Amino acid sequence: MTNADAAKSETLIKETTMAANKSTKAQAATVDDSTMEQFKIESFDVRKYNTIFYSIRDLYGRESQRQLGSDNFDWKAFKLQFEICFGRPEDCRYTTEQLLNFAKYKFNMSLEDLLAYNRKSWELRKRREQQYADMEQINSVIQHTPEITNSHVDCSQMLEQQPY
């Protein structure tokens, strides 16, 4: 065996050993959470998928509304048409990657942009719900307040009772 052959053999042994070490390190046991029953959560991809899906639907609808004008736009009809084209989130008609490519092409938005958009949309929705609840509370107070009548009130007696 020549020195060159010995060097090649040594290199081959080192590469094989390194490959074996890498493959054992890369193998990790997966966690089975099936016994979590009612506490089990959806995978991150599924939760992310729904956020992406609903963000695209909202963005698409708002842009359609802007182009058609508010008077010519019907959200119920839009949602039905969107479902025909994109399906429902639970159908997963498109992959997460396909939806992200679509969002990039149509709205120039990345995953992070869509997640931020969705978060702001929820914050706005919650604020609006709180405002409606506050308005309902004010309306119920107004309805239960006795009305001011046009009956005659003798103010002279009231003025005499006021200390100066």
Side-chain angles (χ1 to χ4, degrees):
M1 181 182 260
T2 65
N3 284 341
D5 289 338
K8 284 182 183 176
S9 292
E10 190 176 317
T11 304
L12 182 60
I13 291 170
K14 285 181 183 177
E15 288 175 358
T16 306
T17 305
M18 287 172 48
N21 288 341
K22 284 183 182 177
S23 67
T24 57
K25 288 180 183 176
Q27 294 174 356
T30 57
V31 175
D32 179 18
D33 66 345
S34 61
T35 58
M36 290 300 293
E37 297 177 3
Q38 77 265 21
F39 302 106
K40 188 174 179 180
I41 61 171
E42 295 175 336
S43 69
F44 181 73
D45 285 348
V46 171
R47 293 190 315 260
K48 186 170 51 172
Y49 186 92
N50 289 343
T51 301
I52 293 167
F53 182 91
Y54 287 118
S55 295
I56 289 173
R57 185 179 76 174
D58 193 60
L59 286 163
Y60 204 107
R62 291 185 187 282
E63 184 59 26
S64 287
Q65 184 179 33
R66 188 189 68 74
Q67 289 180 8
L68 293 172
S70 294
D71 296 340
N72 299 326
F73 188 80
D74 178 13
W75 273 102
K76 287 182 183 179
F78 167 78
K79 287 179 181 178
L80 287 172
Q81 193 64 37
F82 190 88
E83 188 175 320
I84 290 168
C85 181
F86 288 85
R88 294 173 299 180
E90 56 270 12
D91 299 338
C92 292
R93 188 177 290 178
Y94 299 100
T95 65
T96 302
E97 187 177 346
Q98 288 173 314
L99 289 179
L100 288 172
N101 288 336
F102 180 82
K104 188 67 173 176
Y105 173 72
K106 288 287 186 175
F107 310 110
N108 194 28
M109 294 183 84
S110 66
L111 171 62
E112 292 78 20
D113 296 329
L114 293 170
L115 294 175
Y117 178 86
N118 187 267
R119 189 173 32 259
K120 288 178 186 175
S121 176
W122 273 107
E123 289 170 3
L124 180 63
R125 206 170 296 137
K126 287 179 183 177
R127 219 175 313 138
R128 219 179 284 138
E129 285 177 7
Q130 184 61 46
Q131 287 173 345
Y132 287 139
D134 292 346
M135 287 181 358
E136 286 295 320
Q137 188 177 10
I138 289 169
N139 286 339
S140 69
V141 168
I142 290 172
Q143 289 173 355
H144 292 87
T145 304
E147 291 185 32
I148 299 175
T149 60
N150 290 332
S151 62
H152 177 71
V153 177
D154 185 6
C155 295
S156 62
Q157 292 176 356
M158 289 174 44
L159 290 175
E160 291 173 3
Q161 295 174 2
Q162 295 284 333
Y164 293 96

